Amino acid sequence: MIPLYKIGDLVVLKSKSPQIIIVDDKLGINKDNTSYFNGLYECLFSVCGRKGRFIFPEDDIRLIE
């Protein structure tokens, strides 16, 4: 699976959310020690001065246009 988004992209949840930024694409490791994209992104957001980090599946987010 190839990541649809890249680190630094601004996205929102499809179910509505504040702007969030992708800070990492989660990689898994195969038995032969090669990495692969597992469909998850670590995202950072700030609401009312509070910061949070969450992991979202690619299907739950969309790029801000």
Side-chain angles (χ1 to χ4, degrees), residues 11-43:
V11 296
V12 292
L13 295 176
K14 289 180 179 175
S15 62
K16 298 192 180 174
S17 73
Q19 292 182 4
I20 52 182
I21 187 167
I22 295 176
V23 294
D24 193 16
D25 49 4
K26 298 312 230 177
L27 299 177
I29 303 294
N30 291 316
K31 291 178 183 177
D32 61 356
N33 284 334
T34 58
S35 61
Y36 66 94
F37 174 63
N38 66 6
L40 299 173
Y41 295 92
E42 184 175 353
C43 299

